[in-house]
């Protein structure tokens, strides 16, 4: 996968995640500046963490001005199009799932291109995918989705990162196969929300009370 295509997918991931942040800002009653800042935090946060770990110089978000456009576009889109804030929850989940799917693949591929081993590349891909969401949820005073026992968040990212790594090493990576890996992650994430799939609890003997989150 060439550099230009990887950049486009990375920017799409920034946009999808930024929209999820702006939607959450509307649900929390933030103003337009707060929406832009929260969208920027979730859209750029995972990539900043990735670039710092790769030690490839200053993060791309601070050296390439084009990375500032997706959060601004996301804030404007939400400001002008969202009519019913209370019904925007499904849109938030969809855009968050899109960002997760794109970032777990692009983060993994950037790690592989930097010469990291497969295991480290998968871990960095997952970190890229969930990092911005953690920053978003903590800032908005929500339980991060990756730590919610009723949610399946990191596992789809691990699957996407694993698929990207496998395709890379088999020499089968192309735009089509990369897009298929992204679709698998997105579909798994949305199906988990639809059917309430979740990972086993940390202790098999513990059962959370109804409505409890942790």
């Amino acid at each position: 996968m060439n550099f230009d295509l990887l950049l486009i997918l990375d920017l799409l991931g920034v946009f999808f995640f930024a929209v999820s942040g702006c939607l959450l800002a509307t649900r929390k009653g933030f103003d337009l500046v707060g929406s832009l800042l929260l969208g920027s935090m979730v859209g750029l946060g995972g990539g900043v963490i990735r670039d710092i770990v790769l030690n490839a110089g200053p993060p791309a978000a601070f050296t390439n001005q084009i990375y500032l456009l997706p959060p601004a576009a996301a804030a404007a889109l939400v400001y002008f199009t969202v009519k019913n804030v209370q019904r925007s929850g499904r849109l938030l989940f969809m855009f968050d799932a899109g960002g997760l799917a794109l970032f777990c693949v692009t983060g993994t591929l950037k790690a592989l291109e930097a010469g990291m081993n497969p295991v480290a590349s998968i871990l960095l891909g997952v970190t890229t995918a969930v990092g911005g969401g953690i920053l978003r949820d903590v800032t908005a005073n929500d339980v991060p989705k990756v730590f919610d026992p009723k949610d399946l968040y990191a596992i789809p990212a691990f699957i996407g990162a694993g698929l990207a790594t496998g395709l890379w090493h088999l020499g089968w990576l192309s735009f089509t196969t990369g897009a298929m890996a992204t679709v698998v992650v997105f579909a798994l994430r949305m199906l988990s929300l639809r059917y309430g799939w979740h990972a086993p609890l940390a202790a098999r003997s513990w059962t959370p009370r109804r409505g409890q989150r942790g």
Side-chain angles (χ1 to χ4, degrees):
M1 188 174 294
N2 62 56
F3 176 79
D4 290 339
L5 184 55
L6 191 57
L7 175 62
I8 291 172
L9 294 178
D10 206 33
L11 292 172
L12 281 175
V14 172
F15 176 74
F16 274 79
F17 261 144
V19 171
S20 76
C22 295
L23 287 171
L24 182 58
T26 65
R27 294 172 66 85
K28 293 291 183 177
F30 292 3
D31 61 18
L32 182 59
V33 175
S35 174
L36 177 60
L37 291 177
L38 191 63
S40 299
M41 182 178 294
V42 62
L44 302 174
V48 169
I49 296 171
R50 174 199 65 210
D51 294 344
I52 290 174
V53 172
L54 291 176
N55 194 27
F62 298 107
T63 59
N64 191 343
Q65 295 181 357
I66 197 172
Y67 275 89
L68 302 178
L69 295 179
L77 178 68
V78 170
Y79 179 79
F80 286 110
T81 61
V82 172
K83 303 299 182 184
N84 191 322
V85 173
Q86 298 305 318
R87 295 183 180 178
S88 63
R90 183 169 180 81
L91 280 176
L92 194 161
F93 289 133
M94 290 179 61
F95 277 97
D96 182 71
L100 184 82
L102 286 162
F103 265 16
C104 72
V105 172
T106 60
T108 301
L109 294 180
K110 285 200 172 186
L112 289 167
E113 288 185 345
M116 297 186 74
N117 64 65
V119 174
S121 297
I122 291 173
L123 291 176
L124 188 55
V126 173
T127 300
T128 304
V130 306
I134 292 175
L135 293 174
R136 174 198 61 208
D137 295 338
V138 169
T139 302
N141 199 30
D142 280 350
V143 176
K145 290 180 174 57
V146 71
F147 299 126
D148 189 343
K150 297 179 181 179
D151 213 343
L152 197 67
Y153 200 71
I155 291 177
F158 269 108
I159 291 174
L163 287 173
T165 300
L167 291 169
W168 170 279
H169 283 283
L170 290 172
W172 296 346
L173 184 65
S174 64
F175 175 78
T176 302
T177 57
M180 290 174 62
T182 301
V183 169
V184 168
V185 178
F186 179 82
L188 182 57
R189 173 71 178 135
M190 296 306 296
L191 287 172
S192 72
L193 292 169
R194 173 66 176 83
Y195 295 105
W197 297 343
H198 57 82
L201 298 175
R204 187 176 59 179
S205 60
W206 179 67
T207 303
R209 296 177 183 176
R210 182 175 298 179
Q212 181 177 350
R213 295 163 66 100

